[in-house]
Amino acid sequence: MKNIKLSSAFFDQAEIDAVARVLKSQVVNMEIETKLFEEELESFFKRIDSKVTCVHSCSAAIQLSVQALGISQGDEVLVPTFTFVSTFQAIKANGATPIPCDIDLEDGFINLDDAKPRVTSKSRAIIPVLFAGCSSKIDKVYQFAKDHNLSVIEDAAHSFGDENIAKRDGILCFSFDPIKNISCGDGGCVLTSQNEITEKLKDMRLLGVIGDTEKRFNGLRSWDSDVKEQGWRLHMNNISAAIGRAQLVKFPKIRELRQRNAGSYTNALNEIRDIQLLPINFKTAVPHIFPVLIKNGKRNQLKNFLAEKGIETGVQYKPNHLLTYFNLGYDLPNSMNFYSEILSLPIHPLLSEEDIEYVIENIKLFFNN
């Protein structure tokens, strides 16, 4: 019996050499490697006049972006309840209140009809979550934000490598944790064309010390410094950046493998009556996860069956309005239904074509029986 993990990092000698290079330099904190990684990411994203700020995680990216927009105590931010808790915690960390919104049943994207009556005089922003890389409705979010005078921060943790990113102009937050499309071990970044936001982010990630980023990038220290607002120790160090740079070089291969695996699943599972695929274009999107909806109450049975065959699956995510800290007594039926049916299948680059076929064969075996 095989042992197929749901997720895995994709490291080899290139990342080992990158870490060794930094350790041998004796310069571990944020300096030249981080600077180079930011520049290489800016070239990768291909968004004219946009800048990258690398931080400790996507959670940090969202938290700092919320703060940079001046959102704080008494303000509200609209966000789909169906997301990882980090999205909600990043809002709460600024003293603002995350307002849980329902989702669309076909793709898990924020339901704007549900969000509309939740807009109040306290609403300052909306954070669409690009679940599983699904971004087909993102233009509607920007129009919604314009209509209601809201800022947009995209939680794009699942969307690194999506070709459509270059076509949008907003604040986008990415994750580089161990199992994302590229990894820094831990890390994240903010992509934006708003220069004033970038300047704030670069200071706030370094405890609010004004101009400390440029000094560090030039091998200097801020001995005579000033701080004018709350900052945090949320920068990216040279070790993480070096790993990220190695991952960026091999990203074409990562893209190829993830899209290949997604294509195999799509072709094989599309005809199974009790499986609903999410409407994601894998010619442009690079799947971090491959979630499907299992209909007619069979999700848990399938999950247990696959586990017996050595296949790990995931349930992402528990709606945040069910968590004690964020429970505002909301009724969000689509999210509850989605949560009861969602199941993520293994898709990471270490899986062989035979591994994917093994998963497919056992899914078919379950439904045939």
Side-chain angles (χ1 to χ4, degrees):
M1 184 175 69
K2 286 181 175 287
N3 180 22
I4 296 181
K5 294 294 185 182
L6 173 63
S7 305
S8 175
F10 188 52
F11 297 147
D12 57 24
Q13 192 62 44
E15 287 78 15
I16 295 172
D17 291 344
V19 172
R21 180 180 72 246
V22 173
L23 295 179
K24 288 178 180 178
S25 76
Q26 303 294 335
V27 182
V28 174
N29 212 331
M30 193 185 91
E31 203 176 278
I32 187 61
E33 292 284 348
T34 307
K35 180 179 187 293
L36 292 172
F37 188 38
E38 290 183 345
E39 292 173 350
E40 289 162 6
L41 284 169
E42 287 166 3
S43 296
F44 173 83
F45 286 124
K46 298 178 182 178
R47 285 211 330 187
I48 298 174
D49 297 328
S50 289
K51 297 297 182 182
V52 166
T53 305
C54 285
V55 291
H56 183 266
S57 64
C58 187
S59 304
I62 298 172
Q63 176 185 332
L64 294 178
S65 295
V66 170
Q67 182 178 344
L69 289 170
I71 299 170
S72 60
Q73 191 75 34
D75 295 328
E76 296 176 349
V77 178
L78 303 174
V79 60
T81 187
F82 193 80
T83 181
F84 189 46
V85 67
S86 63
T87 317
F88 274 62
Q89 291 282 29
I91 298 167
K92 196 74 171 178
N94 285 281
T97 301
I99 302 299
C101 300
D102 214 349
I103 59 173
D104 292 333
L105 282 172
E106 70 270 17
D107 55 14
F109 204 77
I110 188 169
N111 185 303
L112 296 177
D113 289 335
D114 180 81
K116 185 174 181 179
R118 305 190 193 282
V119 177
T120 71
S121 59
K122 298 178 181 179
S123 301
R124 294 287 310 281
I126 182 170
I127 301 182
V129 176
L130 309 185
F131 177 66
C134 188
S135 61
S136 60
K137 300 173 182 174
I138 193 64
D139 289 343
K140 295 181 180 179
V141 172
Y142 278 91
Q143 185 60 53
F144 179 91
K146 182 178 179 181
D147 293 343
H148 298 281
N149 195 29
L150 303 174
S151 297
V152 178
I153 302 171
E154 294 188 39
D155 182 341
H158 292 190
S159 292
F160 185 86
D162 189 329
E163 294 177 9
N164 291 321
I165 287 170
K167 303 174 184 177
R168 304 200 296 274
D169 184 22
I171 301 173
L172 278 71
C173 299
F174 296 92
S175 173
F176 304 140
D177 84 4
I179 60 172
K180 291 300 194 299
N181 286 348
I182 68 166
S183 174
C184 292
D186 265 318
C189 79
V190 181
L191 173 70
T192 179
S193 62
Q194 301 179 44
N195 292 333
E196 67 278 13
I197 297 296
T198 297
E199 292 306 311
K200 288 184 177 182
L201 292 171
K202 290 187 182 299
D203 287 345
M204 289 188 299
R205 68 176 170 181
L206 287 164
L207 298 169
V209 178
I210 297 173
D212 199 27
T213 286
E214 289 307 313
K215 288 186 178 180
R216 287 173 181 251
F217 283 173
N218 288 288
L220 303 174
R221 298 287 297 275
S222 298
W223 297 117
D224 183 12
S225 61
D226 194 11
V227 174
K228 294 184 178 180
E229 62 181 318
Q230 176 65 51
W232 314 89
R233 196 167 179 83
L234 294 175
H235 61 279
M236 177 181 287
N237 64 48
N238 272 357
I239 294 177
S240 295
I243 295 172
R245 294 181 67 203
Q247 289 268 287
L248 198 57
V249 170
K250 67 170 61 169
F251 182 71
K253 184 63 175 179
I254 294 173
R255 179 201 300 273
E256 175 189 341
L257 293 173
R258 286 186 174 274
Q259 290 180 331
R260 180 202 69 187
N261 293 344
S264 296
Y265 279 139
T266 300
N267 293 334
L269 305 180
N270 194 44
E271 301 301 322
I272 298 179
R273 182 185 60 185
D274 289 323
I275 293 181
Q276 177 183 324
L277 302 178
L278 274 60
I280 301 173
N281 180 2
F282 293 117
K283 292 182 179 180
T284 57
V286 182
H288 152 59
I289 56 174
F290 192 90
V292 295
L293 299 175
I294 309 300
K295 299 296 184 178
N296 299 314
K298 299 179 181 178
R299 195 272 306 276
N300 291 344
Q301 291 174 276
L302 175 59
K303 181 175 177 59
N304 293 335
F305 177 82
L306 294 177
E308 292 173 358
K309 302 296 183 179
I311 301 168
E312 186 179 20
T313 57
V315 177
Q316 296 154 304
Y317 300 99
K318 184 174 183 178
N320 283 272
H321 74 283
L322 300 181
L323 306 178
T324 301
Y325 193 44
F326 302 110
N327 192 332
L328 300 177
Y330 283 34
D331 179 26
L332 304 173
N334 287 355
S335 299
M336 296 301 296
N337 188 66
F338 204 81
Y339 175 53
S340 71
E341 296 180 346
I342 199 76
L343 188 70
S344 291
L345 305 178
I347 197 173
H348 58 85
L350 290 182
L351 296 171
S352 66
E353 293 183 79
E354 291 76 17
D355 292 331
I356 298 295
E357 187 58 35
Y358 179 76
V359 177
I360 291 170
E361 287 175 357
N362 279 284
I363 292 174
K364 289 182 175 179
L365 178 62
F366 171 83
F367 285 108
N368 288 338
N369 289 340

